[in-house]
Amino acid sequence: MKSSYILLGANLGHRILQLNQAQELIENLIGKVTNASTIVETAAWGREDQPSFLNQVIEIETSLSPIEVFEVCQTIENKLGRIRHEKWGARVIDIDILYYGTEIIHLPTLQIPHPYLQDRKFTLIPLAEIAPGYIHPILKKSNEELLALCQDTLDVHIYK
């Protein structure tokens, strides 16, 4: 079994419901959810002319390969109504693999660790909450250190 960290995000529709449905489907199809962060809210990153996002990081234990995890995540996004119109556009659900054990993967469709992980507070805040000492396999810094170094200026707050 491998430990994997996955970021869930939604900024259209019933955001909490979509995060919950994604987490349930991940547990049913990929592996047991062993930890989940607080849900945070932030303005959209990359394209700021859209509704704010809710984000949550979950940790799972899976027997699937990284490619299989990616393919099932894509299937879950499609099942929940995700339509890909534009990069960083609004979406009902977004599921990103942040880490898969300590593996480093560079494929045209999949990069692990996630290539923007260290640049986004909405990812690092919940990630550092549940895995502060986890070391990024390329950057050789903990999630807590990456958060302290992050230059992202978008406000991130706990969703209530």
Side-chain angles (χ1 to χ4, degrees):
M1 296 292 270
K2 286 279 191 166
S3 179
S4 182
Y5 292 91
I6 295 177
L7 175 70
L8 307 176
N11 76 333
L12 294 177
H14 193 296
R15 300 174 301 167
I16 289 287
L17 177 63
Q18 282 136 213
L19 294 181
N20 291 338
Q21 288 176 327
Q23 186 171 329
E24 183 178 316
L25 287 166
I26 286 168
E27 186 145 63
N28 290 338
L29 301 172
I30 297 175
K32 181 173 176 48
V33 175
T34 57
N35 207 347
S37 74
T38 303
I39 295 172
V40 297
E41 186 169 26
T42 187
W45 189 92
R47 289 213 41 224
E48 297 177 21
D49 60 335
Q50 56 183 310
S52 64
F53 271 85
L54 293 185
N55 291 102
Q56 182 178 39
V57 173
I58 60 173
E59 179 183 9
I60 63 166
E61 291 291 328
T62 185
S63 60
L64 300 181
S65 73
I67 298 299
E68 290 170 324
V69 172
F70 172 72
E71 289 170 350
V72 175
C73 286
Q74 297 271 293
T75 299
I76 292 169
E77 286 180 341
N78 293 338
K79 180 181 177 99
L80 293 178
R82 167 118 187 230
I83 299 170
R84 288 171 173 76
H85 288 297
E86 58 190 329
K87 187 172 186 172
W88 297 326
R91 59 203 80 138
V92 295
I93 193 69
D94 188 30
I95 304 172
D96 290 333
I97 303 168
L98 302 175
Y99 295 122
Y100 182 94
T102 57
E103 293 197 29
I104 299 169
I105 299 169
H106 290 288
L107 298 172
T109 56
L110 178 62
Q111 291 187 25
I112 299 174
H114 192 283
Y116 299 111
L117 181 156
Q118 68 278 356
D119 300 325
R120 299 170 167 175
K121 284 192 334 191
F122 69 82
T123 301
L124 287 168
I125 289 172
L127 187 56
E129 175 190 337
I130 64 172
Y134 187 92
I135 303 296
H136 190 292
I138 296 172
L139 301 176
K140 307 298 185 201
K141 294 189 182 326
S142 72
N143 291 323
E144 201 168 55
E145 290 172 311
L146 293 173
L147 177 57
L149 295 168
C150 184
Q151 301 294 308
D152 184 0
T153 60
L154 290 179
D155 183 40
V156 177
H157 60 274
I158 295 172
Y159 181 72
K160 298 181 191 239

mmCIF file of all heavy atoms in Angstrom, residues 74-96:
data_model
loop_
_atom_site.group_PDB
_atom_site.id
_atom_site.type_symbol
_atom_site.label_atom_id
_atom_site.label_comp_id
_atom_site.label_asym_id
_atom_site.label_seq_id
_atom_site.Cartn_x
_atom_site.Cartn_y
_atom_site.Cartn_z
ATOM 1 N N GLN A 74 -9.669 11.092 -12.825
ATOM 2 C CA GLN A 74 -10.281 11.691 -14.014
ATOM 3 C C GLN A 74 -11.709 11.171 -14.210
ATOM 4 O O GLN A 74 -12.612 11.948 -14.527
ATOM 5 C CB GLN A 74 -9.433 11.365 -15.252
ATOM 6 C CG GLN A 74 -8.030 11.932 -15.221
ATOM 7 C CD GLN A 74 -7.978 13.312 -15.805
ATOM 8 O OE1 GLN A 74 -8.194 13.495 -16.988
ATOM 9 N NE2 GLN A 74 -7.702 14.288 -14.975
ATOM 10 N N THR A 75 -11.906 9.881 -13.995
ATOM 11 C CA THR A 75 -13.239 9.276 -14.108
ATOM 12 C C THR A 75 -14.188 9.886 -13.078
ATOM 13 O O THR A 75 -15.343 10.195 -13.397
ATOM 14 C CB THR A 75 -13.146 7.747 -13.922
ATOM 15 O OG1 THR A 75 -12.303 7.208 -14.944
ATOM 16 C CG2 THR A 75 -14.507 7.089 -13.980
ATOM 17 N N ILE A 76 -13.712 10.066 -11.845
ATOM 18 C CA ILE A 76 -14.537 10.668 -10.793
ATOM 19 C C ILE A 76 -14.900 12.101 -11.170
ATOM 20 O O ILE A 76 -16.058 12.515 -11.025
ATOM 21 C CB ILE A 76 -13.814 10.610 -9.425
ATOM 22 C CG1 ILE A 76 -13.712 9.164 -8.944
ATOM 23 C CG2 ILE A 76 -14.530 11.480 -8.393
ATOM 24 C CD1 ILE A 76 -12.798 8.962 -7.744
ATOM 25 N N GLU A 77 -13.925 12.877 -11.649
ATOM 26 C CA GLU A 77 -14.220 14.252 -12.077
ATOM 27 C C GLU A 77 -15.309 14.252 -13.145
ATOM 28 O O GLU A 77 -16.262 15.047 -13.070
ATOM 29 C CB GLU A 77 -12.959 14.927 -12.639
ATOM 30 C CG GLU A 77 -11.951 15.314 -11.601
ATOM 31 C CD GLU A 77 -10.718 15.972 -12.206
ATOM 32 O OE1 GLU A 77 -10.454 15.820 -13.427
ATOM 33 O OE2 GLU A 77 -10.004 16.636 -11.446
ATOM 34 N N ASN A 78 -15.194 13.383 -14.125
ATOM 35 C CA ASN A 78 -16.197 13.309 -15.196
ATOM 36 C C ASN A 78 -17.557 12.903 -14.647
ATOM 37 O O ASN A 78 -18.580 13.479 -15.027
ATOM 38 C CB ASN A 78 -15.747 12.331 -16.283
ATOM 39 C CG ASN A 78 -14.530 12.830 -17.043
ATOM 40 O OD1 ASN A 78 -14.232 14.022 -17.071
ATOM 41 N ND2 ASN A 78 -13.797 11.911 -17.640
ATOM 42 N N LYS A 79 -17.578 11.925 -13.747
ATOM 43 C CA LYS A 79 -18.838 11.460 -13.147
ATOM 44 C C LYS A 79 -19.544 12.580 -12.386
ATOM 45 O O LYS A 79 -20.769 12.671 -12.394
ATOM 46 C CB LYS A 79 -18.552 10.285 -12.226
ATOM 47 C CG LYS A 79 -19.776 9.709 -11.540
ATOM 48 C CD LYS A 79 -19.401 8.553 -10.624
ATOM 49 C CE LYS A 79 -20.596 8.038 -9.892
ATOM 50 N NZ LYS A 79 -21.178 6.851 -10.479
ATOM 51 N N LEU A 80 -18.750 13.445 -11.734
ATOM 52 C CA LEU A 80 -19.327 14.545 -10.958
ATOM 53 C C LEU A 80 -19.631 15.783 -11.803
ATOM 54 O O LEU A 80 -20.055 16.803 -11.278
ATOM 55 C CB LEU A 80 -18.403 14.905 -9.785
ATOM 56 C CG LEU A 80 -18.270 13.820 -8.708
ATOM 57 C CD1 LEU A 80 -17.293 14.255 -7.626
ATOM 58 C CD2 LEU A 80 -19.627 13.475 -8.104
ATOM 59 N N GLY A 81 -19.397 15.698 -13.119
ATOM 60 C CA GLY A 81 -19.809 16.767 -14.020
ATOM 61 C C GLY A 81 -18.733 17.737 -14.453
ATOM 62 O O GLY A 81 -19.045 18.795 -15.006
ATOM 63 N N ARG A 82 -17.478 17.398 -14.243
ATOM 64 C CA ARG A 82 -16.401 18.301 -14.662
ATOM 65 C C ARG A 82 -16.339 18.364 -16.177
ATOM 66 O O ARG A 82 -16.336 17.349 -16.857
ATOM 67 C CB ARG A 82 -15.058 17.819 -14.111
ATOM 68 C CG ARG A 82 -13.871 18.531 -14.757
ATOM 69 C CD ARG A 82 -13.077 19.302 -13.785
ATOM 70 N NE ARG A 82 -12.058 20.104 -14.441
ATOM 71 C CZ ARG A 82 -10.799 20.110 -14.089
ATOM 72 N NH1 ARG A 82 -10.380 19.361 -13.102
ATOM 73 N NH2 ARG A 82 -9.943 20.896 -14.705
ATOM 74 N N ILE A 83 -16.268 19.588 -16.677
ATOM 75 C CA ILE A 83 -16.076 19.835 -18.112
ATOM 76 C C ILE A 83 -14.832 20.690 -18.246
ATOM 77 O O ILE A 83 -14.721 21.738 -17.613
ATOM 78 C CB ILE A 83 -17.302 20.547 -18.728
ATOM 79 C CG1 ILE A 83 -18.552 19.666 -18.568
ATOM 80 C CG2 ILE A 83 -17.055 20.871 -20.185
ATOM 81 C CD1 ILE A 83 -19.848 20.358 -18.906
ATOM 82 N N ARG A 84 -13.905 20.253 -19.072
ATOM 83 C CA ARG A 84 -12.642 20.973 -19.245
ATOM 84 C C ARG A 84 -12.744 21.925 -20.436
ATOM 85 O O ARG A 84 -12.696 21.498 -21.572
ATOM 86 C CB ARG A 84 -11.495 19.984 -19.451
ATOM 87 C CG ARG A 84 -11.129 19.250 -18.204
ATOM 88 C CD ARG A 84 -10.136 18.121 -18.460
ATOM 89 N NE ARG A 84 -9.688 17.541 -17.218
ATOM 90 C CZ ARG A 84 -10.399 16.711 -16.477
ATOM 91 N NH1 ARG A 84 -11.614 16.376 -16.857
ATOM 92 N NH2 ARG A 84 -9.917 16.235 -15.352
ATOM 93 N N HIS A 85 -12.912 23.221 -20.115
ATOM 94 C CA HIS A 85 -12.990 24.240 -21.161
ATOM 95 C C HIS A 85 -11.671 24.970 -21.324
ATOM 96 O O HIS A 85 -11.237 25.232 -22.432
ATOM 97 C CB HIS A 85 -14.074 25.284 -20.837
ATOM 98 C CG HIS A 85 -15.462 24.783 -20.986
ATOM 99 N ND1 HIS A 85 -15.977 24.360 -22.175
ATOM 100 C CD2 HIS A 85 -16.450 24.619 -20.073
ATOM 101 C CE1 HIS A 85 -17.222 23.968 -21.998
ATOM 102 N NE2 HIS A 85 -17.529 24.114 -20.734
ATOM 103 N N GLU A 86 -11.061 25.337 -20.206
ATOM 104 C CA GLU A 86 -9.853 26.143 -20.248
ATOM 105 C C GLU A 86 -8.987 25.859 -19.034
ATOM 106 O O GLU A 86 -9.491 25.471 -17.978
ATOM 107 C CB GLU A 86 -10.215 27.630 -20.282
ATOM 108 C CG GLU A 86 -11.055 28.056 -19.085
ATOM 109 C CD GLU A 86 -11.624 29.442 -19.224
ATOM 110 O OE1 GLU A 86 -10.995 30.288 -19.864
ATOM 111 O OE2 GLU A 86 -12.712 29.675 -18.687
ATOM 112 N N LYS A 87 -7.687 26.069 -19.191
ATOM 113 C CA LYS A 87 -6.767 25.864 -18.074
ATOM 114 C C LYS A 87 -7.105 26.840 -16.960
ATOM 115 O O LYS A 87 -7.315 28.019 -17.196
ATOM 116 C CB LYS A 87 -5.331 26.088 -18.549
ATOM 117 C CG LYS A 87 -4.301 25.737 -17.493
ATOM 118 C CD LYS A 87 -2.903 25.795 -18.070
ATOM 119 C CE LYS A 87 -1.906 25.308 -17.046
ATOM 120 N NZ LYS A 87 -0.574 25.166 -17.593
ATOM 121 N N TRP A 88 -7.159 26.313 -15.718
ATOM 122 C CA TRP A 88 -7.438 27.077 -14.512
ATOM 123 C C TRP A 88 -8.828 27.728 -14.533
ATOM 124 O O TRP A 88 -9.069 28.691 -13.828
ATOM 125 C CB TRP A 88 -6.363 28.124 -14.234
ATOM 126 C CG TRP A 88 -5.018 27.535 -13.972
ATOM 127 C CD1 TRP A 88 -4.744 26.352 -13.346
ATOM 128 C CD2 TRP A 88 -3.752 28.078 -14.322
ATOM 129 N NE1 TRP A 88 -3.393 26.135 -13.284
ATOM 130 C CE2 TRP A 88 -2.756 27.188 -13.888
ATOM 131 C CE3 TRP A 88 -3.358 29.242 -14.960
ATOM 132 C CZ2 TRP A 88 -1.412 27.419 -14.072
ATOM 133 C CZ3 TRP A 88 -2.017 29.469 -15.144
ATOM 134 C CH2 TRP A 88 -1.057 28.570 -14.711
ATOM 135 N N GLY A 89 -9.745 27.176 -15.325
ATOM 136 C CA GLY A 89 -11.103 27.709 -15.373
ATOM 137 C C GLY A 89 -11.954 27.212 -14.214
ATOM 138 O O GLY A 89 -11.538 26.359 -13.423
ATOM 139 N N ALA A 90 -13.162 27.756 -14.106
ATOM 140 C CA ALA A 90 -14.097 27.341 -13.063
ATOM 141 C C ALA A 90 -14.459 25.872 -13.259
ATOM 142 O O ALA A 90 -14.484 25.368 -14.380
ATOM 143 C CB ALA A 90 -15.349 28.215 -13.122
ATOM 144 N N ARG A 91 -14.739 25.177 -12.134
ATOM 145 C CA ARG A 91 -15.060 23.756 -12.239
ATOM 146 C C ARG A 91 -15.875 23.288 -11.046
ATOM 147 O O ARG A 91 -15.723 23.810 -9.949
ATOM 148 C CB ARG A 91 -13.800 22.919 -12.377
ATOM 149 C CG ARG A 91 -12.844 23.083 -11.223
ATOM 150 C CD ARG A 91 -11.452 22.720 -11.626
ATOM 151 N NE ARG A 91 -10.892 23.852 -12.335
ATOM 152 C CZ ARG A 91 -9.663 24.309 -12.180
ATOM 153 N NH1 ARG A 91 -8.853 23.713 -11.365
ATOM 154 N NH2 ARG A 91 -9.227 25.324 -12.835
ATOM 155 N N VAL A 92 -16.696 22.271 -11.301
ATOM 156 C CA VAL A 92 -17.493 21.704 -10.218
ATOM 157 C C VAL A 92 -16.625 20.846 -9.307
ATOM 158 O O VAL A 92 -16.932 20.706 -8.124
ATOM 159 C CB VAL A 92 -18.707 20.895 -10.728
ATOM 160 C CG1 VAL A 92 -19.690 21.801 -11.448
ATOM 161 C CG2 VAL A 92 -18.294 19.735 -11.593
ATOM 162 N N ILE A 93 -15.568 20.268 -9.847
ATOM 163 C CA ILE A 93 -14.648 19.472 -9.028
ATOM 164 C C ILE A 93 -13.287 19.421 -9.723
ATOM 165 O O ILE A 93 -13.202 19.413 -10.944
ATOM 166 C CB ILE A 93 -15.183 18.039 -8.765
ATOM 167 C CG1 ILE A 93 -14.382 17.331 -7.663
ATOM 168 C CG2 ILE A 93 -15.209 17.220 -10.050
ATOM 169 C CD1 ILE A 93 -14.572 17.890 -6.275
ATOM 170 N N ASP A 94 -12.266 19.430 -8.894
ATOM 171 C CA ASP A 94 -10.900 19.270 -9.380
ATOM 172 C C ASP A 94 -10.213 18.331 -8.406
ATOM 173 O O ASP A 94 -10.309 18.513 -7.189
ATOM 174 C CB ASP A 94 -10.188 20.626 -9.402
ATOM 175 C CG ASP A 94 -8.828 20.569 -10.068
ATOM 176 O OD1 ASP A 94 -8.634 19.732 -10.973
ATOM 177 O OD2 ASP A 94 -7.953 21.369 -9.694
ATOM 178 N N ILE A 95 -9.562 17.308 -8.928
ATOM 179 C CA ILE A 95 -8.867 16.330 -8.098
ATOM 180 C C ILE A 95 -7.435 16.240 -8.605
ATOM 181 O O ILE A 95 -7.204 15.837 -9.747
ATOM 182 C CB ILE A 95 -9.546 14.944 -8.157
ATOM 183 C CG1 ILE A 95 -11.021 15.046 -7.763
ATOM 184 C CG2 ILE A 95 -8.802 13.952 -7.266
ATOM 185 C CD1 ILE A 95 -11.815 13.758 -7.984
ATOM 186 N N ASP A 96 -6.485 16.653 -7.771
ATOM 187 C CA ASP A 96 -5.068 16.650 -8.151
ATOM 188 C C ASP A 96 -4.270 15.762 -7.212
ATOM 189 O O ASP A 96 -4.400 15.868 -5.984
ATOM 190 C CB ASP A 96 -4.479 18.068 -8.065
ATOM 191 C CG ASP A 96 -5.012 19.001 -9.133
ATOM 192 O OD1 ASP A 96 -5.408 18.513 -10.214
ATOM 193 O OD2 ASP A 96 -5.038 20.221 -8.882
#
